Amino acid sequence: MSETIWKPHVVVAAIVERGGRFLLVEEETDEGVRFNQPAGHLEEGETLCDAVRREVMEETAHRFEPQALLGVYRWRHPTKGRTYLRFAFTGEVHGHEPERTLDTGILRAVWLTPAEIEAVRARHRSPLIQRCIEDYRRGQRFPLDLITELIEGA
């Protein structure tokens, strides 16, 4: 009898607020068009901070600099049976490259107010979108040095 090894999908996400609006992406998924924070999978040999910088650039064409860890969130997708371990970062965007082509599946990057985000809640990719915004608005932040990464060459 072989054992199945369970592994969560490690992802990073950026919660970016500017002038009372939050940066989201509207993207095509296998469940239809959904909203999400700029987010994606951690790649081999990459630090968590480098991963979130890369994902924000690929999905929004904005340069992002993480300033704090908002939290670590575990969520199991109700129909796919996958568990996601999300490292959510807060920070600022510095610069935009509007000529840059966005990742496949990303329809647009958009700045929305909390009320606008709530209004499209039925189209959120996961409940983590709303939870991260609520935690951000409550002032939850952890220093980046909470994360220790022993990666050769990083």
Side-chain angles (χ1 to χ4, degrees), residues 5-24:
I5 298 174
W6 174 81
K7 293 181 183 178
H9 294 258
V10 178
V11 296
V12 295
I15 290 58
V16 184
E17 186 260 341
R18 183 172 70 186
R21 294 179 177 271
F22 289 87
L23 181 61
L24 296 183

Side-chain angles (χ1 to χ4, degrees), residues 51-91:
V52 75
R53 286 183 193 102
R54 176 183 52 75
E55 286 293 346
V56 173
M57 177 55 76
E58 290 175 354
E59 294 192 356
T60 72
H62 284 87
R63 283 187 291 283
F64 174 73
E65 188 54 40
Q67 296 173 328
L69 178 68
L70 179 67
V72 179
Y73 302 82
R74 180 178 154 180
W75 177 66
R76 183 172 169 83
H77 193 287
T79 58
K80 293 182 180 179
R82 290 186 191 140
T83 298
Y84 295 91
L85 191 60
R86 178 191 248 214
F87 290 81
F89 294 88
T90 65

Side-chain angles (χ1 to χ4, degrees), residues 2-145:
S2 67
E3 289 186 37
T4 302
I5 298 174
W6 174 81
K7 293 181 183 178
H9 294 258
V10 178
V11 296
V12 295
I15 290 58
V16 184
E17 186 260 341
R18 183 172 70 186
R21 294 179 177 271
F22 289 87
L23 181 61
L24 296 183
V25 295
E26 190 172 18
E27 60 187 339
E28 295 174 342
T29 74
D30 54 1
E31 298 171 331
V33 176
R34 298 284 187 252
F35 285 94
N36 198 7
Q37 276 108 6
H41 290 266
L42 177 68
E43 294 182 0
E44 176 84 27
E46 194 173 43
T47 68
L48 292 164
C49 285
D50 285 345
V52 75
R53 286 183 193 102
R54 176 183 52 75
E55 286 293 346
V56 173
M57 177 55 76
E58 290 175 354
E59 294 192 356
T60 72
H62 284 87
R63 283 187 291 283
F64 174 73
E65 188 54 40
Q67 296 173 328
L69 178 68
L70 179 67
V72 179
Y73 302 82
R74 180 178 154 180
W75 177 66
R76 183 172 169 83
H77 193 287
T79 58
K80 293 182 180 179
R82 290 186 191 140
T83 298
Y84 295 91
L85 191 60
R86 178 191 248 214
F87 290 81
F89 294 88
T90 65
E92 295 182 0
V93 289
H94 303 282
H96 182 236
E97 298 177 15
E99 71 288 349
R100 185 180 179 94
T101 302
L102 303 180
D103 263 0
T104 302
I106 302 295
L107 302 175
R108 66 183 176 137
V110 59
W111 293 91
L112 299 176
T113 66
E116 292 168 329
I117 294 167
E118 177 65 33
V120 296
R121 191 176 206 154
R123 291 182 43 212
H124 288 185
R125 186 148 186 189
S126 83
L128 296 176
I129 289 108
Q130 196 66 39
R131 176 61 189 266
C132 285
I133 289 172
E134 290 166 3
D135 290 349
Y136 176 90
R137 293 182 79 198
R138 277 198 337 268
Q140 179 173 295
R141 308 285 191 283
F142 300 97
L144 291 176
D145 63 6

